[in-house]
Amino acid sequence: MAKTAQSPRQTARVVQLRKGTTIEMVRLACPDAIQATRISESFGLAVLDSDGIRDLHERLIVETADSLGEGLAERAMQIHLQRIVGAYVGSAHGAGQFYTRAVTEARDATAKSACEDRDEDLDGPVGFDGKAQRRREFAADMGLQAHALLMAAEGAVRAYEQVVGESWKPFERPVENIGASVDRKAAELQMAAFG
């Protein structure tokens, strides 16, 4: 009997990607310029120069890329800037998430202090802020920090587009599924034992 030649079947491999943080996600988590100004005015904090922060970071990264221009190939520059911008975006996103939690805690503390039946949430002695006030002030500080880092990230994203010539997208790395590959290798070894 003649063997029929079978074409080797290639199995399609599905690779899950770990989604990166986008600048849009950061914008949703961090206060915008209007909200940051409102926070500053309400709590007596410094009003940030949002445009100045964004423009400075854009210039910083563009000038850095210019100084590296002769030493890096085009693809190497793109990879380098991808990582730098990713760090800015990741930092701003973390600050935005922290700010969101601080606001939630401030709201909870403020709601509890409004309830007259709760003694533990009453304001402290005269001259000292109560727990709710401290939480609101902390959330305000975190809001300004998150906004400043958002502006830095937006400047970095603009610089990436200017230098590379395309929009920045987060790097999406494959999710490592070590257990499945070990199981697969074990199954292959077991099947090989049958001949």
Side-chain angles (χ1 to χ4, degrees):
M1 250 184 172
K3 277 188 167 178
T4 58
Q6 292 182 348
S7 62
R9 291 198 323 171
Q10 294 181 347
T11 57
R13 192 170 162 192
V14 177
V15 177
Q16 288 182 325
L17 296 178
R18 183 174 297 153
K19 297 291 183 183
T21 304
T22 64
I23 191 69
E24 289 77 19
M25 292 166 68
V26 177
R27 288 181 182 130
L28 290 173
C30 297
D32 61 13
I34 294 169
Q35 188 177 9
T37 301
R38 223 176 19 239
I39 290 169
S40 293
E41 291 171 351
S42 295
F43 288 88
L45 301 171
V47 176
L48 299 179
D49 178 12
S50 302
D51 294 333
I53 293 169
R54 184 179 46 238
D55 295 345
L56 175 70
H57 283 81
E58 181 179 359
R59 280 193 317 273
L60 172 74
I61 291 176
V62 167
E63 290 175 11
T64 300
D66 288 344
S67 71
L68 292 171
E70 290 184 22
L72 294 179
E74 188 175 316
R75 181 68 178 141
M77 179 68 76
Q78 182 180 10
I79 292 168
H80 175 66
L81 292 178
Q82 170 69 27
R83 291 174 177 153
I84 290 174
V85 175
Y88 274 99
V89 170
S91 177
H93 188 249
Q97 290 177 319
F98 193 78
Y99 161 69
T100 301
R101 282 191 298 273
V103 168
T104 300
E105 290 175 6
R107 282 190 178 128
D108 290 348
T110 301
K112 288 177 184 175
S113 68
C115 179
E116 294 178 10
D117 294 334
R118 295 177 53 97
D119 289 337
E120 68 265 19
D121 294 317
L122 295 177
D123 288 340
V126 175
F128 293 97
D129 293 333
K131 185 177 183 180
Q133 179 63 29
R134 288 192 305 274
R135 295 249 170 120
R136 288 191 298 269
E137 289 172 357
F138 180 74
D141 288 338
M142 295 305 102
L144 292 186
Q145 288 181 29
H147 175 70
L149 292 172
L150 167 63
M151 292 297 98
E154 285 188 354
V157 167
R158 280 187 184 179
Y160 181 90
E161 292 173 1
Q162 187 176 338
V163 173
V164 175
E166 61 186 52
S167 296
W168 178 82
K169 291 178 283 201
F171 177 73
E172 295 179 348
R173 71 179 60 149
V175 175
E176 295 178 23
N177 193 350
I178 295 170
S181 63
V182 170
D183 289 345
R184 184 177 43 82
K185 288 178 184 177
E188 288 172 3
L189 287 171
Q190 290 171 342
M191 291 306 295
F194 295 126

Coordinates of all heavy atoms in Angstrom, one line a residue, residues 76-137:
A76 N 15.1 51.4 16.4 CA 15.6 51.5 17.8 C 15.1 52.7 18.5 O 14.7 52.7 19.7 CB 17.2 51.5 17.8
M77 N 15.0 53.8 17.8 CA 14.4 55.1 18.3 C 13.0 54.9 18.7 O 12.5 55.3 19.8 CB 14.6 56.2 17.3 CG 14.0 57.5 17.9 SD 14.9 58.3 19.2 CE 16.3 58.9 18.4
Q78 N 12.3 54.2 17.8 CA 10.8 53.9 18.1 C 10.7 53.1 19.3 O 9.8 53.4 20.2 CB 10.2 53.3 16.9 CG 8.7 53.0 17.0 CD 8.1 52.3 15.8 OE1 8.8 51.9 14.9 NE2 6.8 52.3 15.8
I79 N 11.5 52.0 19.5 CA 11.4 51.2 20.6 C 11.7 51.9 21.9 O 11.1 51.8 22.9 CB 12.3 49.9 20.4 CG1 11.7 49.0 19.3 CG2 12.4 49.2 21.8 CD1 12.7 48.0 18.9
H80 N 12.8 52.7 21.8 CA 13.2 53.5 23.0 C 12.1 54.5 23.4 O 11.8 54.5 24.6 CB 14.5 54.3 22.6 CG 15.0 55.2 23.7 ND1 15.5 54.7 24.9 CD2 15.1 56.5 23.7 CE1 15.8 55.8 25.6 NE2 15.6 56.9 24.9
L81 N 11.6 55.2 22.5 CA 10.5 56.2 22.8 C 9.3 55.5 23.3 O 8.5 56.0 24.1 CB 10.3 57.1 21.6 CG 11.4 58.1 21.3 CD1 11.0 58.9 20.1 CD2 11.7 59.0 22.5
Q82 N 9.0 54.3 22.7 CA 7.8 53.5 23.1 C 7.9 53.2 24.6 O 6.9 53.4 25.4 CB 7.8 52.2 22.4 CG 6.8 51.2 22.9 CD 5.4 51.6 22.6 OE1 5.1 52.3 21.7 NE2 4.5 51.1 23.5
R83 N 9.1 52.8 25.1 CA 9.3 52.5 26.5 C 9.2 53.8 27.4 O 8.6 53.7 28.5 CB 10.6 51.9 26.7 CG 10.7 50.5 26.1 CD 12.1 49.9 26.2 NE 12.1 48.6 25.6 CZ 13.1 48.0 25.1 NH1 14.3 48.6 25.0 NH2 13.1 46.7 24.7
I84 N 9.8 54.9 26.9 CA 9.8 56.1 27.7 C 8.3 56.6 27.9 O 7.9 56.9 29.0 CB 10.7 57.2 27.1 CG1 12.1 56.8 27.3 CG2 10.4 58.5 27.7 CD1 13.1 57.7 26.6
V85 N 7.6 56.7 26.8 CA 6.2 57.2 26.8 C 5.4 56.2 27.6 O 4.5 56.7 28.4 CB 5.7 57.3 25.4 CG1 4.2 57.7 25.4 CG2 6.5 58.4 24.6
G86 N 5.6 54.9 27.5 CA 4.9 54.0 28.3 C 5.1 54.2 29.8 O 4.1 54.0 30.6
A87 N 6.3 54.6 30.2 CA 6.5 54.8 31.6 C 5.8 56.1 32.1 O 5.2 56.1 33.1 CB 8.0 55.0 31.8
Y88 N 5.7 57.1 31.2 CA 5.0 58.3 31.6 C 3.5 58.0 31.7 O 2.8 58.4 32.7 CB 5.2 59.4 30.5 CG 6.4 60.3 30.8 CD1 7.6 60.0 30.0 CD2 6.4 61.3 31.6 CE1 8.7 60.8 30.2 CE2 7.5 62.1 31.8 CZ 8.6 61.9 31.1 OH 9.7 62.7 31.3
V89 N 3.0 57.3 30.8 CA 1.5 56.9 30.8 C 1.2 56.0 31.9 O 0.2 56.2 32.6 CB 1.1 56.3 29.4 CG1 -0.3 55.7 29.5 CG2 1.3 57.3 28.3
G90 N 2.1 55.0 32.2 CA 1.8 54.1 33.3 C 1.8 54.9 34.7 O 1.0 54.6 35.5
S91 N 2.8 55.8 34.8 CA 2.9 56.5 36.1 C 1.6 57.4 36.3 O 1.1 57.4 37.4 CB 4.1 57.4 36.0 OG 4.2 58.2 37.2
A92 N 1.2 58.1 35.2 CA 0.0 58.9 35.3 C -1.2 58.1 35.6 O -2.1 58.5 36.4 CB -0.2 59.7 34.0
H93 N -1.3 56.9 35.0 CA -2.5 56.0 35.2 C -2.5 55.6 36.7 O -3.6 55.5 37.3 CB -2.4 54.8 34.3 CG -3.6 54.0 34.3 ND1 -3.7 52.7 34.8 CD2 -4.9 54.3 33.9 CE1 -4.9 52.3 34.8 NE2 -5.7 53.2 34.2
G94 N -1.4 55.2 37.2 CA -1.3 54.8 38.6 C -1.7 55.9 39.6 O -2.5 55.7 40.5
A95 N -1.3 57.1 39.3 CA -1.6 58.3 40.1 C -3.1 58.5 39.9 O -3.8 58.9 40.9 CB -0.8 59.5 39.6
G96 N -3.7 58.4 38.7 CA -5.1 58.6 38.6 C -6.0 57.6 39.3 O -7.0 57.9 39.9
Q97 N -5.5 56.3 39.3 CA -6.2 55.3 40.1 C -6.2 55.6 41.6 O -7.1 55.4 42.3 CB -5.7 53.9 39.8 CG -6.0 53.4 38.4 CD -5.4 52.1 38.1 OE1 -4.2 51.8 38.5 NE2 -6.1 51.3 37.5
F98 N -5.0 56.0 42.1 CA -4.8 56.4 43.5 C -5.7 57.6 43.8 O -6.4 57.6 44.9 CB -3.4 56.7 43.8 CG -3.0 56.7 45.2 CD1 -2.9 55.6 46.0 CD2 -2.9 58.0 45.9 CE1 -2.6 55.6 47.4 CE2 -2.6 58.0 47.2 CZ -2.5 56.9 48.0
Y99 N -5.8 58.5 43.0 CA -6.6 59.7 43.2 C -8.1 59.3 43.3 O -8.8 59.7 44.2 CB -6.5 60.7 42.0 CG -7.6 61.7 41.9 CD1 -7.8 62.7 42.8 CD2 -8.4 61.7 40.8 CE1 -8.8 63.6 42.7 CE2 -9.5 62.6 40.7 CZ -9.6 63.6 41.6 OH -10.7 64.5 41.5
T100 N -8.5 58.4 42.4 CA -9.9 57.9 42.4 C -10.2 57.3 43.7 O -11.3 57.5 44.3 CB -10.1 56.9 41.2 OG1 -9.9 57.6 40.0 CG2 -11.6 56.4 41.2
R101 N -9.3 56.4 44.3 CA -9.6 55.8 45.6 C -9.6 56.8 46.7 O -10.4 56.7 47.6 CB -8.5 54.8 45.8 CG -8.7 53.5 45.1 CD -7.7 52.4 45.6 NE -6.3 52.7 45.4 CZ -5.6 52.4 44.3 NH1 -6.2 51.8 43.3 NH2 -4.3 52.7 44.3
A102 N -8.7 57.8 46.6 CA -8.7 58.9 47.6 C -10.0 59.7 47.6 O -10.5 60.0 48.7 CB -7.5 59.8 47.4
V103 N -10.6 59.9 46.5 CA -11.9 60.7 46.4 C -13.0 59.8 47.0 O -13.8 60.3 47.7 CB -12.2 61.0 44.9 CG1 -13.6 61.5 44.8 CG2 -11.2 62.1 44.4
T104 N -13.0 58.5 46.7 CA -14.0 57.6 47.2 C -13.9 57.6 48.7 O -14.9 57.7 49.4 CB -13.8 56.2 46.7 OG1 -13.9 56.2 45.2 CG2 -14.8 55.2 47.2
E105 N -12.7 57.5 49.3 CA -12.5 57.5 50.8 C -13.0 58.9 51.4 O -13.6 58.9 52.4 CB -11.1 57.2 51.1 CG -10.7 55.8 50.8 CD -9.2 55.5 51.1 OE1 -8.5 56.4 51.6 OE2 -8.8 54.4 50.8
A106 N -12.7 60.0 50.7 CA -13.1 61.3 51.1 C -14.6 61.4 51.1 O -15.2 61.9 52.1 CB -12.5 62.4 50.3
R107 N -15.2 60.9 50.1 CA -16.7 60.9 50.0 C -17.3 60.1 51.1 O -18.3 60.5 51.8 CB -17.2 60.4 48.7 CG -17.1 61.4 47.6 CD -17.8 61.0 46.3 NE -17.6 62.0 45.3 CZ -17.2 61.8 44.1 NH1 -16.8 60.6 43.7 NH2 -17.0 62.8 43.2
D108 N -16.8 58.9 51.3 CA -17.3 58.0 52.4 C -17.1 58.7 53.8 O -18.1 58.7 54.6 CB -16.6 56.7 52.4 CG -16.9 55.8 51.2 OD1 -17.9 56.2 50.5 OD2 -16.2 54.8 51.0
A109 N -16.0 59.3 54.0 CA -15.7 59.9 55.3 C -16.6 61.1 55.5 O -17.1 61.4 56.6 CB -14.3 60.3 55.5
T110 N -16.9 61.9 54.4 CA -17.7 63.1 54.5 C -19.2 62.7 54.8 O -19.9 63.3 55.6 CB -17.6 63.9 53.2 OG1 -16.2 64.3 53.1 CG2 -18.5 65.1 53.3
A111 N -19.6 61.6 54.1 CA -21.0 61.1 54.3 C -21.2 60.6 55.8 O -22.2 60.9 56.4 CB -21.3 60.0 53.3
K112 N -20.2 59.9 56.3 CA -20.2 59.4 57.7 C -20.3 60.6 58.7 O -21.0 60.5 59.7 CB -19.1 58.5 57.9 CG -19.2 57.1 57.3 CD -18.0 56.3 57.5 CE -18.0 55.0 56.8 NZ -16.8 54.2 56.9
S113 N -19.5 61.6 58.4 CA -19.4 62.7 59.3 C -20.7 63.5 59.3 O -21.0 64.2 60.3 CB -18.2 63.6 59.0 OG -18.4 64.3 57.8
A114 N -21.5 63.4 58.3 CA -22.7 64.1 58.2 C -23.8 63.5 59.1 O -24.8 64.1 59.4 CB -23.2 64.2 56.8
C115 N -23.6 62.2 59.4 CA -24.5 61.5 60.2 C -24.3 61.9 61.7 O -23.3 61.6 62.3 CB -24.4 60.0 60.0 SG -25.5 59.0 61.0
E116 N -25.3 62.5 62.3 CA -25.1 63.0 63.7 C -25.1 61.9 64.8 O -24.8 62.1 65.9 CB -26.2 64.0 64.0 CG -26.0 65.3 63.1 CD -27.1 66.3 63.4 OE1 -27.9 66.1 64.3 OE2 -27.2 67.2 62.6
D117 N -25.5 60.7 64.4 CA -25.5 59.6 65.4 C -24.2 58.9 65.5 O -24.0 58.0 66.3 CB -26.6 58.5 64.9 CG -28.0 59.1 65.0 OD1 -28.2 60.0 65.8 OD2 -28.8 58.6 64.2
R118 N -23.2 59.3 64.8 CA -21.8 58.6 64.8 C -20.8 59.5 65.6 O -20.4 60.6 65.0 CB -21.3 58.3 63.4 CG -22.2 57.3 62.7 CD -21.7 57.2 61.3 NE -20.3 56.8 61.2 CZ -19.8 55.6 61.1 NH1 -20.6 54.6 61.1 NH2 -18.5 55.4 61.1
D119 N -20.4 59.2 66.7 CA -19.5 60.0 67.5 C -18.1 59.8 67.0 O -17.3 60.8 67.1 CB -19.5 59.5 69.0 CG -20.8 59.9 69.7 OD1 -21.4 60.9 69.2 OD2 -21.1 59.3 70.7
E120 N -17.7 58.7 66.4 CA -16.3 58.5 66.0 C -15.9 59.3 64.8 O -14.7 59.5 64.5 CB -16.0 57.0 65.8 CG -16.7 56.4 64.5 CD -17.9 55.7 64.9 OE1 -18.5 55.9 66.0 OE2 -18.4 54.9 64.0
D121 N -16.8 59.9 64.0 CA -16.5 60.7 62.9 C -16.7 62.2 63.1 O -16.5 62.9 62.2 CB -17.4 60.2 61.7 CG -17.1 58.8 61.3 OD1 -15.9 58.5 61.2 OD2 -18.1 58.1 61.0
L122 N -16.9 62.6 64.3 CA -17.0 64.0 64.6 C -15.7 64.7 64.5 O -14.6 64.0 64.7 CB -17.6 64.2 66.0 CG -19.0 63.7 66.2 CD1 -19.5 63.9 67.7 CD2 -20.0 64.4 65.3
D123 N -15.7 66.0 64.2 CA -14.5 66.7 64.1 C -13.7 66.6 65.4 O -14.3 66.5 66.5 CB -14.7 68.2 63.8 CG -15.2 68.3 62.3 OD1 -14.9 67.4 61.6 OD2 -15.8 69.3 62.0
G124 N -12.4 66.8 65.3 CA -11.5 66.7 66.5 C -11.7 68.0 67.3 O -12.5 68.8 67.1
P125 N -10.8 68.2 68.3 CA -10.8 69.4 69.1 C -10.6 70.6 68.3 O -10.1 70.6 67.2 CB -9.6 69.2 70.1 CG -9.2 67.8 70.0 CD -9.7 67.3 68.7
V126 N -11.1 71.8 68.9 CA -10.9 73.0 68.1 C -9.5 73.2 67.7 O -8.6 73.0 68.5 CB -11.4 74.2 69.1 CG1 -11.2 75.5 68.4 CG2 -12.9 74.0 69.4
G127 N -9.3 73.7 66.5 CA -8.0 73.9 65.9 C -7.4 72.7 65.2 O -6.4 72.8 64.5
F128 N -8.1 71.6 65.2 CA -7.6 70.4 64.5 C -8.7 70.0 63.5 O -9.9 70.0 63.8 CB -7.4 69.2 65.5 CG -6.2 69.5 66.4 CD1 -6.5 70.0 67.7 CD2 -4.9 69.2 66.0 CE1 -5.4 70.2 68.6 CE2 -3.9 69.5 66.9 CZ -4.1 70.0 68.2
D129 N -8.2 69.5 62.4 CA -9.2 69.1 61.3 C -9.7 67.7 61.7 O -9.0 66.9 62.3 CB -8.5 69.0 60.0 CG -8.1 70.3 59.4 OD1 -8.7 71.3 59.8 OD2 -7.1 70.4 58.7
G130 N -10.9 67.4 61.3 CA -11.5 66.1 61.5 C -11.0 65.2 60.4 O -10.3 65.6 59.4
K131 N -11.3 63.9 60.6 CA -10.9 62.9 59.7 C -11.4 63.1 58.2 O -10.6 63.0 57.3 CB -11.4 61.5 60.2 CG -11.0 60.3 59.5 CD -11.5 59.1 60.1 CE -11.0 57.8 59.5 NZ -11.6 56.6 60.2
A132 N -12.6 63.5 58.1 CA -13.2 63.8 56.8 C -12.5 64.9 56.1 O -12.2 64.8 54.9 CB -14.7 64.1 56.9
Q133 N -12.2 66.0 56.8 CA -11.4 67.1 56.2 C -10.0 66.7 55.7 O -9.6 67.0 54.7 CB -11.3 68.3 57.2 CG -10.6 69.5 56.7 CD -11.3 70.1 55.5 OE1 -12.5 70.1 55.3 NE2 -10.5 70.7 54.6
R134 N -9.4 65.9 56.6 CA -8.0 65.4 56.2 C -8.1 64.6 54.9 O -7.3 64.7 54.0 CB -7.4 64.6 57.3 CG -6.9 65.5 58.5 CD -6.0 64.8 59.4 NE -6.6 63.5 60.0 CZ -7.4 63.5 61.0 NH1 -7.8 64.6 61.7 NH2 -7.9 62.3 61.4
R135 N -9.1 63.7 54.8 CA -9.3 62.9 53.6 C -9.6 63.7 52.4 O -9.1 63.4 51.3 CB -10.4 61.9 53.8 CG -10.1 60.9 54.9 CD -9.9 59.5 54.3 NE -9.4 58.6 55.3 CZ -9.9 57.5 55.7 NH1 -11.1 57.2 55.2 NH2 -9.4 56.7 56.6
R136 N -10.4 64.8 52.5 CA -10.7 65.7 51.4 C -9.4 66.4 50.9 O -9.2 66.5 49.7 CB -11.8 66.7 51.8 CG -13.2 66.0 51.9 CD -14.2 67.1 52.0 NE -14.1 67.9 53.2 CZ -14.7 67.7 54.3 NH1 -15.4 66.6 54.5 NH2 -14.5 68.5 55.4
E137 N -8.6 66.9 51.9 CA -7.4 67.6 51.5 C -6.4 66.6 50.9 O -5.7 67.0 49.9 CB -6.8 68.2 52.8 CG -7.6 69.4 53.3 CD -7.1 69.9 54.6 OE1 -6.2 69.3 55.2 OE2 -7.7 70.9 55.1

